[in-house]
Amino acid sequence: MLTPDHKKRQRNLHKEINNSLSTCWQTEEFEVKEECTPCTEFEKVSGNIPACAQSGFKELISCKTSGNYYRSCERVPWIEERNFWIFEGMMLAVGFVSAAMVVLRQKHLDRKMIERIQKQVSAGV
């Protein structure tokens, strides 16, 4: 719900997050506060979060002494899993359609062969 209090909390959250290109996670202990998520179009275009410009994905981390930072990340696990299952579903559908086409083609060829045999038998060959 959007209330004046909500806007204050949102502003405070953005003040607590340093948007510079720090690499504190390479030199100090850190904790992942938010898993890797896709950046919004606004975040990509505005440049407010430099991590979004690199890969289009961001991850909020909290370095022990430096504070909170966004860092670029490569893949969002839930998007990768969703894409995998979409691919699997499509391959299953393609497999069923292919199998159905093979069965129909086989029936058509069998029917043609029976017609040829009947013509040969009726012609007395």
Side-chain angles (χ1 to χ4, degrees), residues 111-125:
R111 197 174 326 114
K112 275 189 155 188
M113 185 177 63
I114 289 173
E115 287 174 5
R116 282 188 193 145
I117 291 171
Q118 285 177 344
K119 272 185 183 180
Q120 287 177 352
V121 167
S122 66
V125 175

Side-chain angles (χ1 to χ4, degrees), residues 1 12 18 29 34 49 60 74 77 88 93 100 110 112 114:
M1 184 172 183
N12 289 339
N18 189 333
E29 290 183 37
E34 279 182 23
I49 301 176
L60 180 62
E74 290 304 313
E88 287 294 317
D110 288 346
K112 275 189 155 188
I114 289 173

Side-chain angles (χ1 to χ4, degrees), residues 75-105:
R75 294 188 175 95
V76 181
W78 67 267
I79 290 178
E80 291 295 315
E81 184 177 357
R82 182 198 65 188
N83 290 345
F84 169 77
W85 287 113
I86 288 172
F87 174 77
E88 287 294 317
M90 290 174 61
M91 292 303 104
L92 184 66
V94 167
F96 280 133
V97 169
S98 298
M101 294 302 292
V102 166
V103 168
L104 290 174
R105 178 73 176 150

